[in-house]
Amino acid sequence: RMLYFGTRDGRFNLVYPFFGNVLVGSTDIAIKDPDLAHCSTEEADYLLDAVRQILPGIPVSRDEVVLTYCGVRPLPRAEGKDIGAVTRDHAIGRDTLPGTAIPVLSLIGGKWTTHRAFSEQSADAVLTHLGKPRTVTTADMPIGGGRNYPQDEATRMAFVERLARELDVSADRAGILFDRYGTSVMALKADLSGEGRTALRLLPGYCVGEIIHICRTEQVRRLADLLLRRTAITMEGLLTPDVISETAEIAARTLAWNDKRKQAEMAFAEAEMARRSITNTRPEQAA
């Protein structure tokens, strides 16, 4: 369900369904300070033009952009090499402390989709230096909501039906929760009782207990953590000032924020939302 294609300038891009919208990416622009990374006017226009190249029959414009975001990929140093030609593979650099035989391993590159493999390879390198064998492999180890995940539709339906009974929610709500959290959804049980089962007024796809549980268990320090990184609310194009206000009330009660702190968190979240708006992209040279 993904279009992966090369553009006229030799870059590779992709287009695919994403939380009810369409995700388009990506660009290759070197940056010295990752904290200054932003989706620039040039990048937004470039990506929209890439969609027009590959899907000329589907008109797209800046007005249809729900959200922009930007990440920074760590790549190995390649002086003078075109950034698009630099390898995206991860590697382990091997050095020694000056004047000694003490090894220093440096992790180079890597990304979210390969972090487990890279972690195991790094552990293997350390074990080799220590002269110790590996006793457990994580290559096929399910984690998080993937543990004991149903392997067919019948087993999935049975799990969702049991979930609906145990959480005392509708089958539709149980299905949404399962799709969102996998088998780890059972950890939400205590927070989905009473008021916790109530749907958010502005986000009926979410319930109060979910927000409470995430605030309590996912190391939420700021409201922006909850809205931008612990949930898909922003990616779904659902974040508005009113949503910020509604979720701030729940977060404030859960995390014991006073009114001053709550107002500060709302203001910061609104600023972060604005920074990701297509109307707030700025020319690359401004960085």
Side-chain angles (χ1 to χ4, degrees):
R1 303 183 64 201
M2 174 190 292
L3 296 176
Y4 180 69
F5 59 95
T7 52
R8 296 189 187 106
D9 59 1
R11 294 180 182 177
F12 287 96
N13 282 275
L14 50 86
V15 177
Y16 62 91
F18 194 71
F19 290 110
N21 298 299
V22 176
L23 183 66
V24 182
S26 57
T27 58
D28 291 310
I29 296 176
I31 188 168
K32 292 182 178 180
D33 185 349
D35 289 335
L36 297 179
H38 65 281
C39 183
S40 68
T41 301
E42 291 88 346
E43 287 180 287
D45 290 342
Y46 171 86
L47 291 172
L48 288 171
D49 185 60
V51 175
R52 297 184 191 107
Q53 289 180 38
I54 196 69
L55 299 170
I58 302 178
V60 292
S61 69
R62 291 171 67 89
D63 293 338
E64 295 172 285
V65 176
V66 173
L67 169 81
T68 71
Y69 73 94
C70 178
V72 177
R73 185 200 300 270
L75 298 178
R77 184 182 298 277
E79 298 294 352
K81 198 171 185 179
D82 181 79
I83 195 70
V86 179
T87 179
R88 267 56 176 168
D89 293 340
H90 57 253
I92 301 174
R94 290 170 168 80
D95 299 285
T96 57
L97 290 178
T100 76
I102 299 174
V104 176
L105 303 180
S106 301
L107 308 188
I108 303 168
K111 53 187 176 180
W112 183 83
T113 49
T114 60
H115 78 276
R116 290 187 63 182
F118 198 10
S119 297
E120 181 142 327
Q121 291 164 19
S122 301
D124 285 339
V126 173
L127 288 170
T128 297
H129 280 291
L130 296 176
K132 295 182 178 294
R134 173 178 286 282
T135 58
V136 176
T137 178
T138 64
D140 298 312
M141 181 183 293
I143 62 173
R147 292 192 185 98
N148 302 314
Y149 196 87
Q151 297 299 299
D152 54 63
E153 185 59 22
T155 309
R156 178 191 178 280
M157 290 299 297
F159 185 97
V160 171
E161 290 172 3
R162 179 167 63 87
L163 181 64
R165 292 193 301 271
E166 293 196 19
L167 298 182
D168 192 22
V169 297
S170 69
D172 287 344
R173 173 66 70 185
I176 290 172
L177 291 170
F178 177 73
D179 288 343
R180 194 170 284 158
Y181 303 104
T183 55
S184 64
V185 66
M186 296 307 298
L188 278 73
K189 186 173 182 178
D191 292 311
L192 290 177
S193 60
E195 183 199 7
R197 290 196 295 271
T198 304
L200 271 64
R201 182 174 59 85
L202 298 170
L203 292 174
Y206 289 82
C207 53
V208 172
E210 287 181 78
I211 304 303
I212 293 172
H213 182 80
I214 292 169
C215 286
R216 287 198 307 105
T217 64
E218 295 293 332
Q219 300 183 30
V220 170
R221 295 294 177 266
R222 309 212 64 166
L223 182 62
D225 292 336
L226 171 70
L227 298 172
L228 299 175
R229 290 174 282 278
R230 306 297 191 274
T231 66
I233 291 171
T234 303
M235 292 294 185
E236 292 172 295
L238 300 175
L239 191 62
T240 66
D242 288 340
V243 166
I244 289 174
S245 178
E246 183 176 16
T247 52
E249 292 293 339
I250 302 170
R253 292 199 306 268
T254 307
L255 299 173
W257 293 341
N258 60 25
D259 190 63
K260 181 179 179 181
R261 171 70 185 275
K262 183 183 72 173
Q263 294 300 325
E265 293 299 330
M266 290 171 59
F268 183 78
E270 289 181 2
E272 288 293 288
M273 179 181 73
R275 193 162 67 89
R276 288 162 173 78
S277 168
I278 189 66
T279 60
N280 203 37
T281 59
R282 58 189 189 277
E284 187 63 41
Q285 56 264 30

